[in-house]
Every structure is written in structure tokens, then in C-alpha cells.
Amino acid sequence: MQKYSEMTREQLLAEKAELTARYEAFKARGLKLDMSRGKPGADQMDLSRALFHQIDEDPESGEADFKNATGIDCRNYGGLDGLPELKKLFGDILGVAPEQMIVAGNSSLNLMFDTVAQGMYAGFSGCAPWLTQGKIKFICPTPGYDRHFAICEYFGIEMLPVDMTPAGPDMDAVEELVKDPLVKGMWLVPKYSNPQGVTCSEETVRRVAALRPAAKDFRVFWDNAYVVHHLEEPGDELLNIYEECRKNGNEDLVFQFMSTSKITFPGAGIAAEAASPANVAELKKRMSFQTIGPDKLNQLRHARMFRSVDDVKAHMHKHAEILRPKFRAVLERLEAELYGRGIAEWTCPKGGYFISLDVMDGCAKRVETLCRDAGMVLTTVGATYPYGRDPRDRNIRIAPTFPTVAEMELGAELLCIAVRLAALEKLLG
Amino acid sequence: MQKYSEMTREQLLAEKAELTARYEAFKARGLKLDMSRGKPGADQMDLSRALFHQIDEDPESGEADFKNATGIDCRNYGGLDGLPELKKLFGDILGVAPEQMIVAGNSSLNLMFDTVAQGMYAGFSGCAPWLTQGKIKFICPTPGYDRHFAICEYFGIEMLPVDMTPAGPDMDAVEELVKDPLVKGMWLVPKYSNPQGVTCSEETVRRVAALRPAAKDFRVFWDNAYVVHHLEEPGDELLNIYEECRKNGNEDLVFQFMSTSKITFPGAGIAAEAASPANVAELKKRMSFQTIGPDKLNQLRHARMFRSVDDVKAHMHKHAEILRPKFRAVLERLEAELYGRGIAEWTCPKGGYFISLDVMDGCAKRVETLCRDAGMVLTTVGATYPYGRDPRDRNIRIAPTFPTVAEMELGAELLCIAVRLAALEKLLG
């Protein structure tokens, strides 16, 4: 495969003519593809059909079985931090004791937003509310998850980008930034990161856990969204952040988040937050004013469907079987069309929901337009960066989960054509 | 019946001896009663058993029917403001257009807290966040709902008590208080209020709707928790607050709240918020950063169970049949033991969840203690007032819903004995 940079102008023009023909043919097909969001497909949601049957009536007595293992009537009020079964299960997954878990409603984004909001209006560790401390800042590993950045934008929190490396965020930069007492937080998807699929190395986890921020009310928002979401076996291993924090006397540094949105149902799963005893007490104090308790019936459905971490793992195998061919369809096409041309780089994640593709600098928006004009929606280019601005205009987040394998094959081909065309347009000036 | 104030010392002592004997007999029974919270009983929750069957599988295809009437796959992400069916249903109940409804998770308290929080950190109507405007204040009709007052306490909002009259809050006082630009809100349970069961008169609703607060970002938190919760027929009628606001060009004045917590399941119902188009836009902006959407599967269950307001009304009849004997047991006992003695006054609500009992000034805490020592928990005395302090120490909130009728009969007797004993202790000095 010849690098574009080594081709003559004639060769580039010939290449462009060929690709333009392929592109026009695609356009004529009137495709309608959506690779924009990390949405599970209907086939994945069908795996959790059993959730609908977990609260059945006894055929003899006609009584529905709505009590949990400890006898709680899950229909009524109460139980601020969730059912004990799920506190145990999620605690086992995240590596903390059940007492350190808060099991809530359907949205971990909601838990993150509310936790940041609490920092803004109430503060942490006895410090003044962030809202009253001046222009506070969060560290944002980039590229990253757009909804994390959006929360910062909503609250007027200044975002400080640091690079995501293959081992996690650039910790030299992070260690430098936390010396500023106005730096109050850091976002991080520590496993199968969004969008690159990076899992933090042991060293990175240890360095995060050993941070000595100038601000006592600095917190890491450890969004473990893909904690059991392997595509390949064996998947990546992530060190237990809480244990590492403990070794450093740094228990209060981290809020952990997870949910079953991509285990059971995206819109009707269960979300959870884990933290140190002191942090949990602060969170629960706020929650005790905010609600009487979560939907325990939906928690009960989940507790009955997943009796142990092994049940969850077995279930995630089935997801992986559905998703693997979709990811492979994209990766094979990227390799076939882009490898060796010197115009793109991409990740081959072992889990998570995305493939991250870096095209030639200044070409990502053009690729997005070319794809859209041919009927395929990509994640808005720039969304993976703070303020929606990719400084090099090169990152594209590919979300292969929602379309079918056949659609993904088509979509990946269109994407590759667009990447090559955009590069050729740039090189030909 | 002779008034205690007209009895001789001997008569009072004889009365006390008799009541002490009855009280000791009660104590010896080792009762365990809870009249503290407005919790529906198991029999009421059994009325909504059908909720468990609303998402069944087709026996032939084996497919579960998880799509709503407009074809939304309720398992997946999306739908920030809830399913259209429920926006219509709740809009019909509250008297606003479906576009003015936000249908959310299981807790209306959560909606209220988040709305106040938004005022604190983001502000309304383009005004600065409340948190940055100094010591802001809320008007609190008293006695009232403890969790409303708790939200104020959590956020450090100063509470300004005004009396609840049989027609609603003392509007002369309210109209005076809103002249202060630091007064930013008012709590109100406009129908079958907690704890008195007062429904605002037409005049009161019109005066609320016509308020001209000095603060542009003043809002009424109209917690219509008992909007369809009649005990007697015909129940009270409440004027449509939104229509009245509109007549005054005052659409943005009110946030309305309701939930099915006391229609279906307290812990797994559906909560909703209604407001003007401008207010809804401000709420949805925040929500779009906070969540991807509510649990639409539980919304779907509710939408299928209640196809119209008439379905809801028919369902509420069944609740009333269960609750009426419990309320009557209390009221009959109050009448038999307290009427004419000049030591207590109480309300006879046509709906809602509570009976409010005013005992002699300075006696409520003593009544609470006497009851507790004999095995019955009442709502903490004072809880119905800001900061938990009843200035006259006289109000007791009775919550007759959770115990059985037999338990309520016993509990009401014990309560009456305690009220009489406490009065006698006071009068005997």
C-alpha cells in the first residue's frame, strides 16, 4: 500500500477519480445509517427479556412476589440507597463494600450530574460550595465523553484538556494541574474509554490514587461505564482504584459510577455510585432531602436476574457475541482501505462501545459532511473534545453497536471512502 | 360534655385517675402502631397488581410488547420528557397542554428538589442564581409538609411561615411578603393539604395567580400531591391555577407537581412536573445535561393501565373505599372523646392522607411521648413547621392510611387518652 504523501499528483488525481465514483454510487443507494450514539441494538436488549418476568404472580395464591430476600415490600416508600442485594452485586463489581454503594434509578449520568451539582451548591469535605470559590476547573482527558464535558459547560466549569495516551490520561500533566487549588475534578472513563477504548494501566491507576491535589475538595469522577463490557477474551484488567486510594490514605478522592444501561436496558436499567464512607455520608445527606428512595421494583427485577457477578459475566458474553462481528466489520474495512496510506490511525479496543479514528488533521469535519450527504450520521465531530472543538479536527468516534452487521459493513466502507476523499482533497489543495 | 376549663380540681383529678387507668391498660397491651407517615397500606398497593402484567409476551410470537402507541422502543435511551401518552394523561389531570408536561421517574420530591436546586445554581428567567443573590426566602404555609421545609433547610433558604386558613394560605400575608425581592418562592399543597386537608378556595387560587412579586424569579411550588385523592364524593374542586395565571399574564409563576405514588406504587410510580412553555424550556435545558431520559418501561406500564382520566378516577374510588373506614375510625373516636371538652380541634378532610389535630398549646410533645411510651409512633411533633418548631406546640399530624382499621381504632383511642391526659396535666399544673 502506497502512502498518499508519496504519490505523484497524477496518482492522487486518479485515486480521487476512482473514489469519487465509488462515493457517488453510495450516494445513489439512498442509505440511512446512524453510527452516532453508543446505543445497544434491539438484539442486545432481547437478551434481557427475562427482566419482564421477574415479578410474577404465584399461580396458586395469585400473589405477586414483590418482596426482596430480606422481606422489603419493594412497592412502597423507603430504602434510600437501594436494595441490599444490588449493593452487594455492584460493590463486588466495583471492588468496594456494600455499605459504600448507592444504588439508584436508571441513569448514571443523573448520578454524575447530581454529584457535580452538589459540589457546586453544597461543596465537599466541609469546603465552601464550588459556586462560591471562583472559576473552578476540571481536568478532561481528551478525546472523551461528550456528556461529561457538557456537564462542565452547563455549570460554567472551565475544562482543562489532557491527552489520553494508550495507558490512560497523561499523568505528568494531571499531576501538574492538580497543584492549582481551583482544579476541583477530573473526568475519567478508566476502562474501554469513550471513544478510544483505552484501559488505564496499573501505573496510571496507582498515580491517580496517589494524587495530592491542592484542593481538599478535588474529586475524580471515575465513570466505569464499561466495567464488564468486554468484546474479546480475556478482556482488559483494571486495578481496583478504591484499594489503591486506601493505600495512600486517599479514600475520599474518587466517586465511582456504573450502570446496567448496556447490560440490560439503556432506558430502564439500574445506576449506581460508589465512594468512601465519608463521601457516601455526604451524598446520602443530600439524597435524604432529594428523594424518599429509588424504584425498588426495577431493582428487584435486576437482583433476581443477576444473583452474582458470574451471572453478569455470562450475560455479557452474549452481548460480546452480538457486538464482536460489528466491531470486526469496521476494523477489517479500516485495515483494508486505510492501512499503510498514512492518512489515518485507529484503535482496536477489547471492549466498550466505540472505535476511535483519527484522520488527517483538518479533515474530520469534511469526513462527517461527506458521510452525512451520503446518508450516514456520525457522532458530531468535535463532540469528543471540551466545548465541542477538536483542536486538530481529526477525531471521529465510531459507534458500531446499533446498526446490523450488514449495515456496519456498508457504513464502514462509506466511512473509508470519505476518509480517503477528504485526505485527497487536502493533499490536492 | 363538660369543658375541662369549667371543671373543678376534684373533677379534673377524678378524670385523670380514670384516664391514667385506661392509659396503663393500653401500655400493658404492648401495641406496635405507626401513624407517622403517609404511606399507603398493602391493600391499597394490591389495587395496582395489574401493573405487573402490562408488558407481557405474545404467547404466539414470544415477543414482549415494549413499544408504546407511537412505536417507541421503551427499553432504549431517549425521550427526555417522557412518553406522549403520559404527558397527555397528566396534562389532562393538571389542566395543561401535553407539551407543558415533563414526565419523569418515581419521585415528585426529586423533581421539586431538582427544581429548587436549579434556582440555586442556575436561576430562573435570566436572573442570577439564587445562591449568589444573598439570603433568599420562601413562604411556607403552616402547618405544612415537612419535606418541603427540609429542602429549604438543606439549601439554607430562610422560611417565612404564614398561616393556613380553611381557604388556603393567608393571602394578605403572602401578598405583603412577595414585595421583598429576596422572597423567591412559596410552597403550597393546594388540594387536601398536608396535614390539614385544606383545599384552596377559588378566591385563594385567583389571588395566587394574580401575585405581582418583586422578584421576577419568584415561583410557586404547587405540589398537587392529592389532586385525585378524594375520600368522599363529591370531593373538593380546585380551580385550574395555570388558566388563572394566564388570565393575569403570569404563566411563569407556577411549577406544578404530581405523582402516582399514592395512585399505584409509592416507590415505583411516575412523577410529573407541569409549567409554562418558558419554564418547561428552562427545566428541559437542565435535564438535557442531567439525563438521557426516564425509565420509559415503567411509564409504559402506567400508560397502559390508565388510558384516560376516567380510568384514574375509577381506580381512586377503590383507594377511597379502603381509606374511608380508617379516616372515619379516627374521626369518630376524636368526636366521642374530645368533642366539647375545649381541649382540641381537628379537620375532617374530604381527601388526602392526613387528619390534623390541634391540642392545647404546649401539649403536643407530651402527647407524642405518651403515645410512644404506649407503643404508637406519631409524626414527629413540630415536623409540620419550618425548622421542626411548632411555636405553640399544639399540632399533631395523624396518618391513618398504613395501619388496618382495627389498628386505627385502637390507635385513635390511645391518642385521645393521651390528648386528654396531657391537657389534664397542664390544667392541674
Side-chain angles (χ1 to χ4, degrees), chain B residues 21 219 357:
Chain B
R219 294 289 184 277
L357 172 68

Side-chain angles (χ1 to χ4, degrees), chain B residues 200-234:
Chain B
C200 289
S201 68
E202 294 199 354
E203 194 206 335
T204 300
V205 176
R206 289 203 177 98
R207 285 174 75 178
V208 170
L211 284 174
R212 294 284 172 224
K216 192 179 151 197
D217 49 353
F218 174 92
R219 294 289 184 277
V220 177
F221 289 74
W222 189 265
D223 181 4
N224 217 336
Y226 308 106
V227 56
V228 289
H229 302 57
H230 310 289
L231 286 167
E232 310 286 345
E233 293 293 335

Side-chain angles (χ1 to χ4, degrees), chain A residues 46 57 75 106 114 267 290 293, chain B residues 46 53 75 106 114 267 290 293:
Chain A
D46 286 343
E57 289 181 0
R75 301 170 303 175
N106 73 324
D114 283 8
Q290 186 176 28
Chain B
D46 285 343
H53 304 290
R75 302 170 303 176
N106 73 322
D114 283 9
Q290 186 176 26

